[in-house]
Amino acid sequence: MDEVTAGTGDAAAMAAASAPMFGVLDIVLLAGMAGFGIYWVYFRNNSKPQPPPTKGYTMQPTLVAPKANDSSFIAKMKASGKNIVVFYGSQTGTAEEFALRLVKEAARYGMKALYPADPEECEMEELSKLSEINNSLVIFCMATYGEGDPTDNASAFYEWLKTEEPDLTGVNYAVFGLGNKTYEHFNSMGKFFDKRLEELGATRVVEAGVGDDDGNMEEDFLTWKDTLWPAVLDFFGLEMNLQEISMRQYRLEIPDVPPEKLFTGEIARLRAYQTQRPPFDAKNPFLAQVTAWRELHKGGDRSCMHIELDISNSKLRYDAGDHVAVYPVNDPALVNRFGELLSVDLDTPISLVNIDDQSTKKHPFPCPCTYRTALSHYLDITSNPRTHVLKELAEHTTNFEEKQKLLMMASSSVEGKELYQQWVLQDNRSLLHILEDLPSCKPSLDLVCELLTRLQSRYYSISSSSKLHPETVHITAVLLKYTTPTGRINKGVATTWLASKKPQLDQPPHQVPIFIRKSQFRLPARHQTPIIMIGPGTGVAPFRGFIQERLKVKREGKPVGDTVLFFGCRKKTEDFLYEEEFEESIQEGLLTLHTAFSRDQPDKKVYVTHLLKEQGEYIWRIISEESGHIYVCGDARNMARDVHDIIVDICSRYGKLSSSEAHAFVKKLETQRRYSADVWS
């Protein structure tokens, strides 16, 4: 074989040697190259000047300004001549909303602010360079999340600021913190940023604001905002010169696109629900099929749902104690009402485009989409509007009395604040209710879409263990429905939507967009460690997962420590959740159950807190001698606070500790994660 190959090669070489050096094609190519060279040298510069090429970078503010790096807020500020930047740490959208209001108001005072910035999307190491911009100011609207933690989008910045030592000399700042006094670590993030920035050399322009969601967050923000701008003007030596400007941040465009190019409820990526791709998270939720739905209440006029979601093809993993987030859809009847009141075809495609070219947030929600999609999937149409919304609505109200009413509630006067508190908050009016009750108020629907905040995902404590149910996530949720002082029936957005997801034999399975959020609410690493669980009502949800996990371990023949549950509800025969399951765990020698049925005794209401006091000596022994863990889940405003006080009292009484020593003991339990709370307000 090798010899044949060699012979063929020699013949080819001889043929090549006898052929001419250049073929016809070679000569043509050489002539063309020579001609181009002569043109380049002698004629190119004499050609008519050409206009510069069109720039593809549409965010360029001027011809001479440098192109800004998307993550460099300093470059953007310099490129656009702005001297204020507002950062937000937001979990539910409120801090982001406040930040946007501050940006808009800055323009009224003759200052230029960069569109609200997400720390997660910015080079926060540039903070020290802010001093390079004359009369510059950074404002932080920072919410506290969970047990004194930063919000997801601010966590990396928080860690950096806590561990690094940047020199912030020359940086001027202001902080507004958002929190809830029912939680122990009230406003810890606002306090941290205010203190830490000063430690690093920055200059505080105004005292930090403190917003309490358990009280009146809107009034707290307005009160602080009224002190902010005068302090800023005084700090920089500027005169008060209020300007009447448009407060619109987005312009309406009517896109001419085919239906497949319209968003239909996806959170970030177009057609993400048609072509699902992991990893799944808050911006890319997984469409989980509802595989089981059953009513947990055995009687009465209330409803509690048990729902099972299939995650078998998602690669999602969870542990008992984690949360599942659900993206709900608004009630179609409420959505249709907007179209009726404002005489708009809700199936009209729209796109709201940011008028600030420097902003990384081009749209307030995924665009283009229809009005119907925006109102159904992206906008919160049921919450109480804040005062700045009322001011905008007043501009589109023709009746004098109705207009004056809106303007008064939007003012900072005592009478205005009282009216807002009564007419909007206490009477529980949404923006839709206001349009119904003030018939001359006719804003454009695109303005309404700009004024409404984003519809947020709803978090539920997972009520299953992945050790027993690795391919499903279980939810336990009470259907929310109540009558407002105006006689309207208000319904919970998510639970009303989930109530319609009961599987039907003759229909394809319902799908729910979800993602998993990890939690610190965890079982002890050692199965032998005793645990005390306190969870009245749906607060029992994560403990069902804990009990499932421990029961599995016990069935495997391994030793398991004391597993004690304190559960409470109204009536044993009506709303005793998972009674049969818990009874099975009792029969198998795992669970010790203490129950309080508040409505079963006509002469005396018994609650979980009463049972805790009765078991005080046992609880003290478990936490003081056996290194046990305490878990609390449920209402933060009353139950969780009362439980905390009772545990402190138990430590004082049975541990023979003073009040300060008892508080310190419980604080140490919390630090060691032996006292954990999963609570909501």
Side-chain angles (χ1 to χ4, degrees), residues 414-445:
V414 174
E415 296 82 4
K417 290 180 178 179
E418 290 177 351
L419 183 60
Y420 174 78
Q421 177 72 26
Q422 176 62 52
W423 199 76
V424 176
L425 299 184
Q426 291 183 15
D427 287 350
N428 211 338
R429 281 182 171 88
S430 66
L431 193 149
L432 179 61
H433 297 154
I434 291 174
L435 296 180
E436 290 178 333
D437 292 346
L438 304 180
S440 78
C441 183
K442 297 294 181 183
S444 63
L445 189 50

Side-chain angles (χ1 to χ4, degrees), residues 329-400:
V329 179
N330 283 312
D331 186 342
L334 298 180
V335 171
N336 290 334
R337 191 75 177 115
F338 277 99
E340 295 167 3
L341 289 170
L342 300 178
S343 303
V344 174
D345 179 3
L346 296 182
D347 295 315
T348 303
I350 63 164
S351 185
L352 292 185
V353 182
N354 202 318
I355 60 176
D356 184 354
D357 287 341
Q358 288 292 330
S359 173
T360 56
K361 187 172 184 178
K362 299 304 179 187
H363 312 283
F365 46 79
C367 290
C369 67
T370 64
Y371 278 121
R372 187 179 306 281
T373 295
L375 293 168
S376 298
H377 295 272
Y378 300 137
L379 297 171
D380 184 350
I381 64 175
T382 61
S383 62
N384 308 130
R386 301 195 187 276
T387 55
H388 72 289
V389 173
L390 305 184
K391 186 175 182 181
E392 290 289 323
L393 294 179
E395 299 301 315
H396 302 273
T397 304
T398 55
N399 179 275
F400 178 78

Side-chain angles (χ1 to χ4, degrees), residues 189-450:
M189 284 300 105
K191 296 172 183 176
F192 166 80
F193 281 99
D194 183 55
K195 180 181 178 182
R196 183 60 175 156
L197 290 168
E198 184 182 43
E199 291 174 349
L200 295 172
T203 302
R204 183 187 297 107
V205 172
V206 65
E207 288 299 311
V210 177
D212 178 19
D213 199 35
D214 189 49
N216 189 330
M217 179 77 78
E218 175 71 6
E219 186 171 331
D220 294 336
F221 177 69
L222 292 177
T223 301
W224 177 77
K225 185 169 63 68
D226 288 344
T227 66
L228 169 69
W229 296 119
V232 170
L233 294 173
D234 182 63
F235 184 84
F236 292 119
L238 304 174
E239 294 185 3
M240 179 78 73
N241 183 22
L242 290 178
Q243 303 174 18
E244 288 300 323
I245 62 167
S246 171
M247 298 299 280
R248 292 296 298 266
Q249 189 64 44
Y250 298 92
R251 66 176 183 272
L252 173 66
E253 293 183 358
I254 305 299
D256 183 16
V257 295
E260 62 269 19
K261 295 295 184 181
L262 294 175
F263 282 89
T264 57
E266 305 93 330
I267 303 303
R269 179 173 61 85
L270 185 66
R271 301 187 69 78
Y273 291 160
Q274 285 75 26
T275 55
Q276 290 257 278
R277 294 200 297 261
F280 297 107
D281 53 26
K283 295 182 180 179
N284 183 36
F286 174 69
L287 280 181
Q289 291 188 357
V290 179
T291 56
W293 190 112
R294 72 175 187 268
E295 176 61 52
L296 292 177
H297 285 177
K298 305 178 186 70
D301 57 357
R302 297 181 304 138
S303 170
C304 184
M305 301 168 285
H306 172 87
I307 301 170
E308 298 182 13
L309 304 172
D310 183 2
I311 60 169
S312 57
N313 297 317
S314 67
K315 298 183 179 179
L316 288 173
R317 301 290 181 268
Y318 75 94
D319 293 299
D322 285 343
H323 302 111
V324 58
V326 172
Y327 281 105
V329 179
N330 283 312
D331 186 342
L334 298 180
V335 171
N336 290 334
R337 191 75 177 115
F338 277 99
E340 295 167 3
L341 289 170
L342 300 178
S343 303
V344 174
D345 179 3
L346 296 182
D347 295 315
T348 303
I350 63 164
S351 185
L352 292 185
V353 182
N354 202 318
I355 60 176
D356 184 354
D357 287 341
Q358 288 292 330
S359 173
T360 56
K361 187 172 184 178
K362 299 304 179 187
H363 312 283
F365 46 79
C367 290
C369 67
T370 64
Y371 278 121
R372 187 179 306 281
T373 295
L375 293 168
S376 298
H377 295 272
Y378 300 137
L379 297 171
D380 184 350
I381 64 175
T382 61
S383 62
N384 308 130
R386 301 195 187 276
T387 55
H388 72 289
V389 173
L390 305 184
K391 186 175 182 181
E392 290 289 323
L393 294 179
E395 299 301 315
H396 302 273
T397 304
T398 55
N399 179 275
F400 178 78
E401 292 182 356
E402 293 177 359
K403 183 170 187 173
Q404 289 304 115
K405 186 171 191 173
L406 289 169
L407 289 175
M408 174 174 282
M409 289 188 290
S411 72
S412 57
S413 68
V414 174
E415 296 82 4
K417 290 180 178 179
E418 290 177 351
L419 183 60
Y420 174 78
Q421 177 72 26
Q422 176 62 52
W423 199 76
V424 176
L425 299 184
Q426 291 183 15
D427 287 350
N428 211 338
R429 281 182 171 88
S430 66
L431 193 149
L432 179 61
H433 297 154
I434 291 174
L435 296 180
E436 290 178 333
D437 292 346
L438 304 180
S440 78
C441 183
K442 297 294 181 183
S444 63
L445 189 50
D446 63 285
L447 173 62
V448 169
C449 289
E450 178 175 335

